[in-house]
Amino acid sequence: MRSLIDTDFYKLLMCQSIFRNRPDTNVVFSLINRTKAVRLADLIDEGELREQLDHVRSLGLSRGESTWLRGNTFYGKRQMFRSDFMEWFEGLRLPAYHLEKRDGQYELTFEGRWPEVMLWEIPALAVLMELRSRAVLKDMGKFELQVLYARAMARIWEKIKRLRRIEGLKIADFGTRRRHSFLWQDWCVQAMQEGLGDRVFTGTSNCRIAMKRDIEAIGTNAHELPMVEAALAETDAELAEAPYRVLADWHEEHDGNLRIILPDTFGTEGFLGNAPGWLSKWTGIRIDSGDPAQGAEIAIRWWRERGEDPAQKLVIFSDGLDVEKIEELHAQFHGRVKVSFGWGTMLTNDFCGLAGDRLAPFSLVCKAVSANGRPTVKLSDNPNKAMGPAGEIARYKRIFGVTDQVAQEVLV
């Protein structure tokens, strides 16, 4: 990690919102490896991991990074980040971590004030992913490495050439958290810039690379906000209102293309069915779990029922994408809605088959697991992505009206 802004843009937007609305909430974030077959503690040396995590704790904003955040235009708005938040951020060093080995995996947790602890999520994931890459590559010779990367570069370029043929495509890099490495993500972004141009390639979620390459920083909000807000609810009625309460705060702070709904935290259909009228006026929706085509159809039907024109709404697909799925979804929805894609792991970490299965991407997440001592829950539209204690999951399903769900394999 080279910088505190070597992170996703949405984390900084959410951090400012949390700094304003919930600064003293105590949260615990925890690493979760959904792909148990990848035994990270057997691959990655604990001393090297601690060295990298300690290095992250030493990082602070540089003068140039602070100037960029304070003065740049994001989503058409200058001074997106307020002075009080920036003064706090400029003095920030990330809090302590807790690391243990257990059954071939690392148990890595972070606890403290929400605005501070939340900024560990992306660095923790990126560090572990890159250390895993280094562990696999360390015994390769110079020429073997050159051939490996040449083949990976050719693979990405062939994907870009296919994407060029899609008329009206809009696509961004969302690949920070599970990238092969920082330098590889930076190379992929440059390849997208050259191969697609700025009319097609709309930017990157990574703030450091956006600043370095003078392109748009892309991102809105994530499941973290409603998960923590729901955990803080005192009653069932407050729980039912929690996902709308955090979006009401967001509505006050942001407009335009930052008003993007992420509806699947506790089930998309229930969320949209009970949503207040003002949410249908928002710019669009991000589909991040379940069957993406089904999720888009649900959103289109919901907008029509609310008297909105779906053709004027933005649908962002961002879950498990690769070129074939991008082609398929664009063909199905282009013209019916404004379609955009956040391309993640299979852009910045597609080394499948290039070193056997040893570099294949896997599903690693770092999530808020408790807030003020209460467990968090995520239901998702894919039950294989659900998290939380079984009793709380059952309660949330009852309150949010989640019934039958179709389980889908979680690959990345």
Side-chain angles (χ1 to χ4, degrees):
M1 298 299 296
R2 290 154 169 77
S3 163
L4 275 185
I5 68 165
D6 182 10
T7 192
D8 283 337
F9 186 58
Y10 80 87
K11 293 298 291 190
L12 300 187
L13 290 178
M14 292 200 309
C15 188
Q16 177 170 249
S17 180
I18 293 162
F19 177 81
R20 176 187 178 189
N21 298 303
R22 293 281 192 183
D24 297 320
T25 301
N26 183 274
V27 299
V28 177
F29 272 70
S30 182
L31 184 77
I32 302 168
N33 184 2
R34 295 170 176 153
T35 312
K36 300 300 184 185
V38 178
R39 295 171 62 86
L40 289 174
D42 295 341
L43 283 168
I44 297 170
D45 177 75
E46 182 178 346
E48 190 172 1
L49 175 55
R50 288 186 182 275
E51 181 183 1
Q52 294 294 335
L53 296 174
D54 290 343
H55 171 69
V56 173
R57 292 196 67 206
S58 75
L59 294 172
L61 284 190
S62 71
R63 182 177 298 178
E65 291 165 347
S66 178
T67 300
W68 183 73
L69 288 171
R70 284 180 178 269
N72 197 40
T73 298
F74 300 103
Y75 285 82
K77 181 178 179 180
R78 291 187 63 83
Q79 297 180 324
M80 178 77 76
F81 297 100
R82 297 188 309 273
S83 293
D84 59 342
F85 172 75
M86 285 303 306
E87 289 171 10
W88 170 83
F89 193 25
E90 286 160 351
L92 178 69
R93 296 297 183 274
L94 293 190
Y97 61 88
H98 180 74
L99 179 67
E100 290 185 25
K101 282 184 177 181
R102 193 181 303 274
D103 191 25
Q105 301 293 345
Y106 281 114
E107 291 189 355
L108 179 59
T109 57
F110 313 93
E111 181 173 5
R113 295 174 67 246
W114 191 8
E116 299 172 4
V117 172
M118 68 173 296
L119 292 177
W120 260 117
E121 177 185 355
I122 306 301
L125 293 173
V127 162
L128 279 155
M129 296 301 293
E130 183 157 355
L131 286 180
R132 185 260 194 155
S133 299
R134 292 184 186 184
V136 172
L137 300 176
K138 67 180 179 180
D139 294 327
M140 292 186 181
K142 180 178 72 172
F143 291 100
E144 188 177 6
L145 285 170
Q146 287 177 343
V147 171
L148 174 81
Y149 281 106
R151 293 170 67 193
M153 288 175 177
R155 176 178 291 178
I156 293 297
W157 193 250
E158 288 303 314
K159 291 183 181 186
I160 289 171
K161 286 166 62 179
R162 284 179 62 177
L163 293 175
R164 282 180 186 166
R165 298 195 289 264
I166 304 176
E167 185 177 351
L169 177 68
K170 299 290 183 183
I171 190 166
D173 158 44
F174 276 19
T176 299
R177 63 183 55 227
R178 299 192 192 100
R179 67 193 183 195
H180 173 77
S181 70
F182 171 83
L183 293 175
W184 183 249
Q185 182 183 13
D186 189 36
W187 185 90
C188 291
V189 166
Q190 292 176 76
M192 294 280 277
Q193 284 183 278
E194 179 177 315
L196 298 177
D198 57 12
R199 290 188 179 182
V200 175
F201 181 57
T202 57
T204 175
S205 65
N206 187 285
C207 297
R208 169 82 175 190
I209 295 174
M211 183 182 79
K212 182 179 179 182
R213 300 298 167 195
D214 193 25
I215 54 177
E216 292 290 331
I218 304 292
T220 54
N221 57 74
H223 303 105
E224 177 183 340
L225 289 178
M227 285 173 64
V228 172
E229 188 73 21
L232 298 175
E234 298 286 350
T235 65
D236 286 0
E238 288 184 5
L239 175 56
E241 285 299 313
Y244 309 116
R245 193 159 53 246
V246 293
L247 293 185
D249 291 337
W250 195 267
H251 188 88
E252 288 184 10
E253 196 158 356
H254 300 295
D255 55 18
N257 283 349
L258 284 173
R259 288 185 178 173
I260 301 295
I261 305 166
L262 180 63
D264 69 315
T265 309
F266 307 124
T268 293
E269 292 203 66
F271 175 92
L272 294 178
N274 294 308
W278 51 267
L279 261 181
S280 65
K281 307 293 184 184
W282 273 32
T283 302
I285 200 165
R286 180 159 72 91
I287 309 295
D288 196 55
S289 67
D291 182 321
Q294 182 181 11
E297 295 290 0
I298 290 170
I300 288 169
R301 184 169 63 247
W302 177 69
W303 280 317
R304 285 177 177 154
E305 290 170 352
R306 300 295 181 101
E308 299 292 324
D309 180 5
Q312 301 304 311
K313 298 295 185 178
L314 176 63
V315 174
I316 303 171
F317 296 100
S318 62
D319 182 35
L321 296 174
D322 208 355
V323 173
E324 293 80 4
K325 181 58 71 173
I326 292 169
E327 290 171 335
E328 175 187 322
L329 291 169
H330 192 274
Q332 185 171 350
F333 292 102
H334 180 59
R336 300 175 62 198
V337 294
K338 298 176 182 178
V339 182
S340 184
F341 297 91
W343 193 13
T345 306
M346 298 308 289
L347 169 63
T348 62
N349 201 358
D350 184 5
F351 285 73
C352 298
L354 298 184
D357 290 330
R358 294 181 298 155
L359 283 177
F362 63 103
S363 185
L364 187 70
V365 296
C366 185
K367 296 288 187 183
V369 295
S370 73
N372 287 352
R374 298 176 179 178
T376 62
V377 171
K378 180 185 175 188
L379 298 181
S380 180
D381 287 330
N382 179 1
N384 285 341
K385 285 189 172 183
M387 56 169 285
E392 285 297 287
I393 288 176
R395 174 176 170 245
Y396 275 58
K397 283 185 173 181
R398 172 177 57 80
I399 290 171
F400 291 106
V402 177
T403 53
D404 296 333
Q405 292 181 305
V406 178
Q408 296 182 317
E409 184 179 5
V410 179
L411 297 175
V412 291

